[in-house]
Amino acid sequence: RGHSGSHPRMGAVDVVPFVPIRGIGMDEAVEIARRFGTTFAERHGIPVFFYEEAATSEARRNLVDVRRGGYEGLAEKLHDPGWRVDAGPQEPNERSGATAVGARMPLIAFNVNLHTEDLEIARSIAGAVRHVGGGLRYVKAMGLSLEDEGVVQVSMNLVDYRKTPIPRALELVRAEARRYGVAVEECELVGLVPIEALEEVASYYLQIPDFGVEQVIEYHLLPRDGEE
């Protein structure tokens, strides 16, 4: 109840994604997500919404839409007939809020820090880069201030790295930053990244058009589907 922070959230366990990596398809991930979400909601008395590939309606596919209003707006949201929960009680859990459970592709959390303290510049660039602002189709972005470091950040989620690769997002941020006379200070990768997502990074920046992960020694040591 007293929580606050920079990122939007609507629950203590805010989001639980199931991501097919190897040896499992998206259909199975959807089935697992819905089974887990139903059990989780019933066991803990927490409202659950299904999102992305597990969504029960197109209006709930985008996590941004599901989260909109945050914890503070949850009670009002649950009174809206259009937001009947997918599992659990039709009222907020005061202590735990609500939870979104979904199935999706691997998401890359990729942030770009800018050499400025002007938050409006980061917000403007984020608005130009994200899909809802007319930017890249599979990018979600927001501008944040990192006061301890004296910089601002364009914080991005790349939701389909095959169609919007890391270099494309970074170079658009860099180009927009130049409009304000601002340089990129450093980039940040939060969590893990699929090895295939690094193909385009190496291909673009090393200028090797036909580079593939098959050229990485360690790739051949990984188990194939069906192998232990």
Side-chain angles (χ1 to χ4, degrees):
R1 290 187 293 268
H3 175 269
S4 63
S6 300
H7 281 271
R9 80 286 177 269
M10 64 179 183
V13 179
D14 189 61
V15 59
V16 181
F18 288 86
V19 183
I21 300 294
R22 176 174 284 127
I24 182 175
M26 184 60 76
D27 288 346
E28 190 174 354
V30 168
E31 180 185 346
I32 292 170
R34 291 180 176 171
R35 189 166 68 242
F36 167 84
T38 300
T39 302
F40 175 83
E42 293 174 352
R43 182 173 299 172
H44 300 289
I46 295 174
V48 165
F49 297 103
F50 297 136
Y51 78 101
E52 285 279 353
E53 297 301 321
T56 54
S57 72
E58 195 62 30
R60 302 184 183 192
R61 178 173 288 272
N62 192 333
L63 181 59
V64 173
D65 296 327
V66 175
R67 268 193 185 134
R68 186 166 287 118
Y71 171 84
E72 291 77 10
L74 196 55
E76 181 180 353
K77 186 171 197 167
L78 293 179
H79 280 111
D80 182 342
W83 284 98
R84 296 291 302 175
V85 298
D86 292 307
Q90 190 63 37
E91 58 185 26
N93 182 307
E94 188 177 356
R95 181 181 181 189
S96 302
T99 297
V101 177
R104 59 164 174 76
M105 280 193 59
L107 179 150
I108 300 176
F110 181 69
N111 303 329
V112 180
N113 294 347
L114 305 176
H115 194 65
T116 178
E117 296 183 19
D118 191 333
L119 179 57
E120 289 308 310
I121 290 178
R123 286 174 171 169
S124 177
I125 294 173
V129 170
R130 62 179 173 243
H131 174 59
V132 295
L136 299 172
R137 174 64 181 86
Y138 296 97
V139 173
K140 300 175 183 179
M142 62 189 298
L144 302 173
S145 176
L146 305 184
E147 296 180 2
D148 292 345
E149 300 179 31
V151 300
V152 296
Q153 179 182 90
V154 179
S155 176
M156 293 182 286
N157 284 343
L158 311 184
V159 299
D160 191 336
Y161 64 86
R162 299 171 304 180
K163 297 177 180 177
T164 301
I166 294 173
R168 192 171 303 166
L170 173 56
E171 292 306 317
L172 181 54
V173 171
R174 200 190 304 274
E176 289 293 318
R178 280 198 294 266
R179 297 176 57 214
Y180 299 96
V182 170
V184 169
E185 182 164 295
E186 64 179 2
C187 297
E188 177 183 35
L189 188 64
V190 181
L192 305 179
V193 60
I195 188 172
E196 287 83 3
L198 300 179
E199 277 186 332
E200 191 67 22
V201 176
S203 176
Y204 185 91
Y205 290 110
L206 298 180
Q207 297 182 308
I208 306 175
D210 57 351
F211 177 82
V213 295
E214 296 82 3
Q215 294 173 264
V216 178
I217 293 174
E218 287 80 2
Y219 179 83
H220 296 279
L221 302 179
L222 297 174
R224 306 274 80 81
D225 288 350
E227 298 178 351
E228 294 296 331

